[in-house]
Amino acid sequence: MRLLTPRMGGLLALAVVIAVLPAFFPNKFYYDIAIKTGINAIVCIGLNLLIGYAGQISLGHAGFYALGAYGSAVLTARLGWPGPVAMVVGAAAVGLLAFVVARPILRLRGHYLAMATLGLGIIVAIVINREIPLTGGPDGMTVPALAFGDWRVTGTQTWYWVIGGAVLLAVWLALNIVDSGVGRALRAVHGSEVAAETVGVDTTRYKVLVFVISAVFASLAGSLFVHAERFVTPVEADFLRSLEFVTMVVLGGMASTFGAVVGATILTVLPQALAGFQDYEHLALGAILMGIMIFLPKGLVPSLAAQWRRRR
Amino acid sequence: MAEFLQFLVSGITIGSIYALVGLGFAMIYNASNVINFAQGEFVTIGGMATVSLMAGTGLPLILAAPVAIMIAALVGLALEKFAVEPARNADVITLIIITIGASIFIRGGIEVLLGKDFHRLPAFSGDTPIMVGGAAIQPQSLWVIGALVLVVVALRWFFDRTRLGKAVLATSHNRLAAQLVGINVRTILLISFGLSAAVGALAGIMTAPITLTRYDVGVMLGLKGFSAAILGGLGSSFGAVAGGLALGVAEAMAAGYVSSAYKDVVAFIIILGVLFFRPTGFFGGKGVERV
């Protein structure tokens, strides 16, 4: 775990951005968007490890995210568990689930893998929608505040700093994973699975590992989300939410942790900014998305970084 | 027995729709290796354009439907020309995200032009059910199944008997080799998108009297069509049809005998089960990875 490397410089820059940003927020609404951005960023940082580094696609991460969200919601609201315990138990359960399904699922390749993860995500979404006594069904459910001992985490500003800290932690973890032996093994798997196996990389083990890590990231983000919002609906488990996460990762730039953060930021802020166009919101969003991917096919961060290097 | 027959008929009906949408996925995948996430939107265009043409201009169904199919085909061509073609050197995943952008764009466009309300198309030949062995068959079911049979026969003829169809097949097998024998691969790509959009729109028109239609009906149908194509084995047209029918019947049986709330769960568990034993679906070729 090295602290001062060029990558860590990026982490420092991100910390500065998070620290100064509130100075430009005119009202609470901006904090709210920033919190949602941070939560999406945490999911994308984990998902990018899977998609960008290991080259495995998942169209079902909203399922893991929603399991974390509803795990926290049900355990705290219905069973009266303390928030942090529910969060950790939820993440552990999601990690275990991911571990169990990973082996049969990760045997699949490409679009078949996409289908399998999509199926899992949809099953989660349907169960959450139908188990009304437990989850409140489509109407959603309210969630108690998160409390560490006597400290109750409430208020948008407090949550801004909590989520900001969580994003930094997630980035730091991801950067270390990428720089470790695991990261190198993952890149080998991405390059060519057969070649990686030939030189002795246990590809299955690493794929399973990164699948579990990304699922746990999503679960923790889901838990944070329900406590920050104090409310959750099954929309969070929707298939379109899974698509949104993947889109954020690819838009920001695959195999770039900061790209995942940028992608999450753009796709969270943009719909809010376009809301003023009312009926034309989706038309504009689709056009912008297509435009970015056509002109910067490697995603924002890697494409712009390459251009900047060429200029120098 | 009558009950079983009833479930079977409704399963084959909805399965035929899935099969038509799945065929669209298979055609574009064959030509470009891209999973077109805007496929469901072609289905929406078919239904919505037909309804609007009939209501707005008073065209009869027999004229409105072909015009709607042509509109969808034009949108398919435009998608290839202005969104996929300019990014042809990008990764497959980038192309997939472009089609996701296109699906949001098309949904947004329909929202702006035609609003967010549900629309209903009257059944093509009345609502009087035909009784067969104790099961009531809606005439619209026969239209849907007939459309699938027609499309399959027409595609078979196109791929087996016409030069153009053979060129499409050749391109899907080996793009470079096709190019070397003088096939214009870009034209093939355009044709695949146009044809796929037309088939999707046809599915949308056929199903509109059964399920109603709205700017976002394509999302769920697209998902099911993708599932059908995967279940059958990507890239196999025959597989997409078999996958669609299997999915539809499984859903109908699950809804009838298990629980209608959990019919989709049963369907997806079946898909996961099939993939567990056959990682490339019923008829998918064994993929070989090159180092």
Side-chain angles (χ1 to χ4, degrees):
Chain A
M1 303 252 171
R2 286 154 299 163
L3 272 174
L4 283 170
T5 58
R7 277 169 180 273
M8 294 303 158
L11 186 63
L12 202 67
L14 184 62
V16 171
V17 170
I18 290 173
V20 222
L21 213 51
F24 302 96
F25 288 170
N27 56 40
K28 266 182 78 172
F29 178 67
Y30 283 77
Y31 279 97
D32 212 42
I33 305 295
I35 290 167
K36 290 207 173 84
T37 302
I39 286 162
N40 285 334
I42 295 170
V43 179
C44 292
I45 291 164
L47 190 57
N48 177 51
L49 292 174
L50 183 71
I51 299 179
Y53 288 100
Q56 312 291 313
I57 193 145
S58 166
L59 290 181
H61 259 56
F64 296 127
Y65 175 74
L67 279 177
Y70 273 92
S72 274
V74 170
L75 289 178
T76 54
R78 306 267 189 254
L79 303 177
W81 285 31
V85 178
M87 193 183 292
V88 172
V89 169
V94 167
L96 187 68
L97 173 74
F99 179 74
V100 171
V101 298
R103 270 180 191 267
I105 274 191
L106 291 172
R107 285 196 324 143
L108 304 171
R109 282 164 207 278
H111 301 306
Y112 294 96
L113 177 62
M115 177 71 236
T117 49
L118 176 115
L120 269 183
I122 288 182
I123 290 172
V124 170
I126 294 172
V127 172
I128 288 174
N129 261 305
R130 303 293 181 192
E131 292 304 313
I132 296 168
L134 208 57
T135 64
D139 294 337
M141 67 185 288
T142 48
V143 183
L146 184 65
F148 293 91
D150 286 338
W151 182 47
R152 286 178 79 233
V153 190
T154 53
T156 9
Q157 300 203 6
T158 317
W159 269 104
Y160 175 82
W161 298 113
V162 171
I163 298 294
V167 169
L168 287 177
L169 187 66
V171 170
W172 181 74
L173 276 172
L175 290 177
N176 273 301
I177 290 171
V178 170
D179 273 345
S180 68
V182 177
R184 281 190 295 278
L186 288 179
R187 281 194 291 273
V189 172
H190 193 180
S192 163
E193 219 172 308
V194 175
E197 263 171 18
T198 319
V199 295
V201 176
D202 185 351
T203 56
T204 312
R205 196 181 132 230
Y206 285 110
K207 285 199 292 185
V208 169
L209 182 68
V210 78
F211 190 70
V212 171
I213 292 173
S214 69
V216 170
F217 268 56
S219 169
L220 289 173
S223 294
L224 287 172
F225 172 77
V226 292
H227 285 301
E229 293 286 311
R230 304 284 297 275
F231 193 74
V232 59
T233 65
V235 173
E236 301 305 324
D238 201 85
F239 159 65
L240 292 177
R241 197 89 170 91
S242 288
L243 275 192
E244 200 181 2
F245 288 138
V246 174
T247 307
M248 286 171 176
V249 169
V250 180
L251 183 76
M254 287 189 292
S256 159
T257 299
F258 293 107
V261 177
V262 171
T265 307
I266 290 178
L267 276 189
T268 316
V269 174
L270 198 57
Q272 305 291 341
L274 293 175
F277 293 88
Q278 290 176 356
D279 291 349
Y280 295 90
E281 179 193 336
H282 293 117
L283 206 61
L285 182 65
I288 294 172
L289 189 55
M290 281 192 285
I292 295 177
M293 292 323 300
I294 289 170
F295 294 111
L296 302 171
K298 295 267 174 233
L300 279 167
V301 169
S303 300
L304 295 179
Q307 274 188 6
W308 188 67
R309 247 177 268 130
R310 236 175 287 141
R311 286 258 172 85
R312 278 209 302 181
Chain B
M1 193 59 209
E3 199 183 49
F4 175 80
L5 203 63
Q6 186 76 60
F7 296 152
L8 189 67
V9 171
S10 73
I12 291 175
T13 307
I14 192 74
S16 301
I17 296 291
Y18 297 165
L20 283 171
V21 185
L23 271 173
F25 274 102
M27 273 187 262
I28 289 184
Y29 177 81
N30 269 341
S32 64
N33 276 328
V34 168
I35 294 292
N36 172 28
F37 271 96
Q39 194 64 36
E41 274 56 46
F42 296 146
V43 181
T44 316
I45 292 175
M48 289 295 285
T50 307
V51 170
S52 314
L53 284 168
M54 289 174 71
T57 64
L59 279 182
L61 178 72
I62 189 117
L63 291 175
V67 174
I69 291 174
M70 257 145 70
I71 293 173
L74 285 176
V75 174
L77 293 178
L79 173 65
E80 202 284 329
K81 189 78 199 158
F82 299 116
V84 174
E85 170 75 30
R88 65 178 176 282
N89 295 325
D91 291 345
V92 168
I93 180 124
T94 302
L95 289 168
I96 291 176
I97 302 293
I98 289 175
T99 67
I100 292 177
S103 79
I104 298 173
F105 182 79
I106 296 172
R107 271 205 300 282
I110 297 172
E111 216 181 306
V112 170
L113 290 173
L114 306 172
K116 285 183 155 192
D117 298 327
F118 272 111
H119 295 278
R120 195 189 151 81
L121 201 61
F124 299 171
S125 45
D127 294 311
T128 320
I130 303 156
M131 301 302 291
V132 176
I137 301 173
Q138 288 295 330
Q140 192 64 28
S141 291
L142 299 179
W143 278 99
V144 171
I145 298 164
L148 176 67
V149 173
L150 193 75
V151 167
V152 169
V153 171
L155 284 179
R156 260 261 105 90
W157 174 80
F158 176 67
F159 286 128
D160 288 353
R161 298 264 178 257
T162 65
R163 275 176 73 88
L164 196 59
K166 285 179 182 172
V168 174
L169 270 190
T171 309
S172 74
H173 285 308
N174 189 333
R175 204 171 166 149
L176 187 64
Q179 225 159 0
L180 286 173
V181 296
I183 293 170
N184 187 342
V185 173
R186 282 197 201 172
T187 314
I188 300 297
L189 223 60
L190 267 176
I191 290 168
S192 303
F193 271 80
L195 210 57
S196 163
V199 171
L202 179 67
I205 297 167
M206 290 297 157
T207 186
I210 302 174
T211 59
L212 303 181
T213 183
R214 197 169 75 156
Y215 75 104
D216 65 351
V217 284
V219 177
M220 204 55 192
L221 281 173
L223 201 63
K224 291 293 171 61
F226 174 53
S227 308
I230 288 278
L231 187 62
L234 254 185
S236 152
S237 304
F238 181 62
V241 174
L245 292 173
L247 191 61
V249 170
E251 251 181 53
M253 294 297 165
Y257 292 111
V258 186
S259 136
S260 65
Y262 279 101
K263 69 177 168 53
D264 286 335
V265 171
V266 174
F268 281 111
I269 286 176
I270 291 172
I271 293 174
L272 289 176
V274 169
L275 290 182
F276 184 68
F277 291 106
R278 290 194 62 90
T280 53
F282 294 146
F283 303 102
K286 266 218 157 72
V288 178
E289 196 191 359
R290 290 199 180 86
V291 182

